[in-house]
Amino acid sequence: MTDQTTQLLAAIRTAQQQHERFKVGFWQFALNNLASEIPAAIITQFESLKMTHSEMEILSQLTTFKTNLVPYKTLQAQVSFSQGMFSRYINRLAKTELITKTKQPDNKKRSASYNHSNWSICC
């Protein structure tokens, strides 16, 4: 392996380690600073899920829409990760019941909806 490749791999490992430390710090910061705004049951659920920053970004984006129905593609356009990763995160959030996937009777395309008790994705 060339010296340049070894340096690149070391830099990637360091970046990954820093990212992992950031995620841990981010959750602690968010829970400490938003505890008064988030119901205790939701905080407990978040802590047990060990959500990623990207999953939280999706949930955050859902809260910015004024309507309860947001097209899947519109929500996807608001985030920076690939369609495949977005789909994976949506499925994981659906399994945790933080969002719910449903189909619109008049539209086969995916949409996202949000309500006050949890987030919903309509497919």
Side-chain angles (χ1 to χ4, degrees):
M1 201 176 324
T2 68
D3 188 44
Q4 199 172 32
T5 303
T6 302
Q7 290 175 347
L8 179 60
L9 290 173
I12 291 169
R13 284 187 198 102
T14 300
Q16 277 185 304
Q17 291 168 349
Q18 289 173 344
H19 180 69
E20 291 303 317
R21 286 191 300 271
F22 168 79
K23 287 192 306 188
V24 170
F26 169 79
W27 281 112
Q28 196 56 54
F29 174 84
L31 293 174
N32 290 344
N33 291 292
L34 299 174
S36 63
E37 299 176 35
I38 303 172
I42 298 294
I43 289 175
T44 301
Q45 189 176 17
F46 280 171
E47 288 173 333
S48 68
L49 295 174
K50 299 189 186 328
M51 292 174 49
T52 66
H53 181 268
S54 298
E55 291 162 339
M56 191 60 185
E57 183 179 348
I58 290 170
L59 297 179
S60 247
Q61 287 297 326
L62 277 173
T63 65
T64 64
F65 292 96
K66 296 191 187 299
T67 177
N68 284 357
L69 191 61
V70 180
Y72 183 93
K73 291 274 187 192
T74 302
L75 181 60
Q76 182 189 354
Q78 300 296 316
V79 296
S80 61
F81 30 88
S82 71
Q83 189 277 327
M85 291 305 296
F86 179 75
S87 180
R88 194 173 301 164
Y89 294 139
I90 292 298
N91 288 332
R92 185 169 185 270
L93 290 168
K95 284 180 186 174
T96 64
E97 297 180 352
L98 286 171
I99 62 173
T100 307
K101 292 167 69 173
T102 58
K103 288 200 185 234
Q104 293 297 321
D106 60 338
N107 187 348
K108 293 181 182 175
K109 292 185 179 182
R110 296 177 179 188
S111 300
S113 67
Y114 164 79
N115 66 44
H116 299 290
S117 62
N118 67 0
W119 292 269
S120 300
I121 297 288
C122 300
C123 306

